[in-house]
Amino acid sequence: MANAPTPADPPPCYIATRAVPAPRPRYDPPISDHLPDAVRHVMAWQAHVDAGRIGTRMPVSPEIAANRDRWTALAWTMRK
């Protein structure tokens, strides 16, 4: 038992005894340079909110969500 602890060995520190490793940082994709500064700022802020670093998103009312989805669908049909 060459590796067995002896009474003279100090106990392991708290960090060495933790069973759960630290979470890996989330990768945030870069924000395009061609966007206006105000849009880039909002996208960066929302990335922090989505990652859980700050605040929470407010719920969207069903009427606003339906209107947003309708306009998104129209924009996708116009792109084709």
Side-chain angles (χ1 to χ4, degrees):
M1 291 247 172
N3 293 333
T6 62
D9 291 337
C13 68
Y14 168 74
I15 295 173
T17 59
R18 285 193 317 187
V20 179
R24 296 183 62 185
R26 179 179 162 195
Y27 170 73
D28 293 327
I31 298 172
S32 301
D33 290 333
H34 72 278
L35 296 172
D37 286 340
V39 174
R40 295 177 73 226
H41 171 75
V42 170
M43 290 177 69
W45 184 271
Q46 287 301 327
H48 286 297
V49 172
D50 292 340
R53 297 183 199 114
I54 55 173
T56 57
R57 281 188 182 251
M58 297 199 47
V60 178
S61 70
E63 297 86 18
I64 293 174
N67 191 28
R68 179 195 60 212
D69 295 342
R70 191 169 54 246
W71 281 103
T72 302
L74 176 64
W76 276 105
T77 58
M78 293 172 60
R79 282 184 79 173
K80 295 180 180 178

